[in-house]
Amino acid sequence: MWRDFVYVIVGGGVAAGYAALEFTKKGVSHGQLCIISDEAVAPYERPALSKGFLFPEAPARLPGFHTCVGANEEKLTPNWYTEHGIELILGTRVVSADTRLKTLLTATGDTITYKYLIIATGARALKLDEIGINGSNAENVCYLRDLADATKLVNMMRMCTGGTAIVIGGGYIGMECAASLVMNKIKVTMVFPGSYCMGRLFSPKIARYYEDFYKSKGVNFIKGTSLSSLVINLDGKVTGAKLQDGRYVHADMVVVGIGARPNTSLFEGQLTFENGGIQVNSQMQSSKTSVYAVGDIASFPVKLFGNTRRLEHVDAARKTAKHAVCAIMEPKTTSDFDYMPFFYSRVFSLSWQFYGDNVGEVVHFGDFSGTKFGAYWVNDNRLVGCFLEGGGNEDYVAIADAIRLKPVVLDLGELERKGVDFVLAVRQKPPVSPTVCCGGGGGDSSVPLKKGVYLWYAASGIVVAASAAAFAYWYADSGSSLSIDMDRGKVWLHLTLPRLFQ
């Protein structure tokens, strides 16, 4: 069957739901939009799978976490799509795509054409067999990426209550699943090659806090080694794991969280790739102008840091999806995407958020023996990132605002002493950017600059002052003068202008 649509979204995850809602806000007509998903259910909030869905008491279940409840917007149930004239093609895989002819071929043999395509295929869980480990499909080996994975994991936890589990991996999925396993009365051993958990984001000191907390809940950590093989009995079930350091760990079940891979194979050789994903511009537009990419697969410019990144997180999925729709529907009025990198997690009674970038020098603050603490990252004398555990809404809003401003930080000790109060103060009174100290008036509002920056500002100041003096001379043949002083890393420009400028 040959079917035509104006807008097609490939992929049925978080990004698809938020894009659909944005399309309706922008006035998409009935019958113009189609979503193709290999999942059997309408788009849902994926973070619920590693949190509420796994809880032993009052667990989250659909339709309770369909998009877009994660951002306090409408809950898009299957009926919502019908009411808005949006075609949901569920349980269907796209087997090939032709971006030149603007066609998609599904596994059912349908050919679907589009005027605009949004690729929202997300990422898939990396399987053990992809890294040379047997037993990937054993009955009691679990992953967590979609609803089917989560359902299998819940069923397996019920069967293993009072038993033991091995969690392979110390990242997001590993940490959140380990917490849920403990809540389901299962004894957990975590195995990962790094020297501490959440190595891509945490500092060693932050990681130590969470590891100690997990240990207090009965979790055992085996760090600095990896899985070598799984031991499987005649019934096809895993009974334990052999580690590369020679140790053996018994297990009634295994949860694997060793990373994800973007689902981009349909478009290899047709679009430009970067950072393992599809390269897009600040409008989420790929190298083919009719094709947009969002969510986990999109490598997009992060204006705040002046580079391109591919961010696997729900917040980026939501916001890139909405921006792509705006760019398609209102191209003349949609500004460049200006994203603040953001990550968060909730485990046990703990809850943290991170904004910005974790590069440069790290400065810890707060009470690491209590419930509220954090860290700042300072790079090239600028505040670029902040992590906070146990903060309130005002704290997190202030952190986000401050990181956007990237204030100059010359005293790292001040950050340690003030903690969250530093960003609260920045929010109330945004810092003045480093400037050349001009003229003989008022107080000194200058900020000492590093040598390279100082020389640039000095040169710039001279050029500006010379231009101003020349301008003054053009309009008045006397009464203007210019003098330049350099003192303690500052440039002082003393400019007297004729009455025209007074």
Side-chain angles (χ1 to χ4, degrees), residues 66-114:
H66 278 300
T67 57
C68 297
V69 296
N72 298 315
E73 302 229 37
E74 291 184 69
K75 182 166 63 178
L76 312 187
T77 63
N79 286 339
W80 181 91
Y81 293 91
T82 301
E83 293 167 0
H84 289 81
I86 299 172
E87 180 99 16
L88 273 182
I89 303 177
L90 301 177
T92 302
R93 186 167 56 92
V94 176
V95 295
S96 67
D98 190 322
T99 58
R100 184 178 62 86
L101 297 177
K102 299 185 179 181
T103 60
L104 306 169
L105 177 65
T106 71
T108 58
D110 292 335
T111 297
I112 295 175
T113 67
Y114 60 84

Side-chain angles (χ1 to χ4, degrees), residues 144-335:
L144 187 59
R145 186 65 193 180
D146 57 26
L147 188 62
D149 290 339
T151 301
K152 177 181 176 179
L153 180 52
V154 166
N155 292 336
M156 190 54 55
M157 287 193 298
R158 288 172 179 167
M159 295 173 59
C160 295
T161 298
T164 60
I166 300 175
V167 174
I168 307 298
Y172 258 109
I173 294 299
M175 294 296 285
E176 294 190 350
C177 284
S180 293
L181 287 162
V182 169
M183 294 171 66
N184 281 273
K185 303 187 185 327
I186 297 171
K187 187 172 179 58
V188 178
T189 296
M190 295 190 69
V191 178
F192 51 86
S195 57
Y196 56 89
C197 67
M198 293 290 290
R200 292 172 61 183
L201 182 62
F202 287 0
S203 70
K205 184 173 183 177
I206 292 172
R208 189 161 53 249
Y209 176 92
Y210 289 97
E211 289 178 13
D212 288 344
F213 190 95
Y214 273 59
K215 289 175 184 177
S216 74
K217 300 293 185 179
V219 176
N220 178 42
F221 287 89
I222 300 179
K223 299 181 285 186
T225 190
S226 301
L227 179 66
S228 176
S229 65
L230 295 175
V231 178
I232 303 174
N233 64 17
L234 295 176
D235 295 327
K237 290 185 178 180
V238 172
T239 58
K242 293 181 180 179
L243 307 183
Q244 288 185 356
D245 65 1
R247 278 184 277 188
Y248 171 82
V249 182
H250 170 75
D252 296 308
M253 63 179 293
V254 178
V255 178
V256 182
I258 55 174
R261 293 292 182 270
N263 295 316
T264 57
S265 59
L266 284 172
F267 302 96
E268 290 177 2
Q270 300 187 70
L271 304 175
T272 301
F273 279 62
E274 183 181 26
N275 300 322
I278 296 172
Q279 183 188 75
V280 296
N281 60 20
S282 294
Q283 302 299 315
M284 301 297 114
Q285 188 177 46
S286 75
S287 53
K288 293 286 177 66
T289 57
S290 61
V291 179
Y292 294 71
V294 299
D296 293 354
I297 64 165
S299 179
F300 61 89
V302 179
K303 291 175 63 176
L304 188 63
F305 300 118
N307 55 29
T308 58
R309 302 188 184 189
R310 189 178 64 82
L311 301 173
E312 294 180 0
H313 194 266
V314 63
D315 184 67
R318 292 168 179 161
K319 290 175 180 174
T320 54
K322 294 169 68 174
H323 194 84
V325 174
C326 291
I328 291 170
M329 301 291 280
E330 299 173 346
K332 293 183 180 179
T333 58
T334 300
S335 59

Side-chain angles (χ1 to χ4, degrees), residues 430-443:
V432 178
S433 297
T435 58
V436 180
C437 307
C438 295

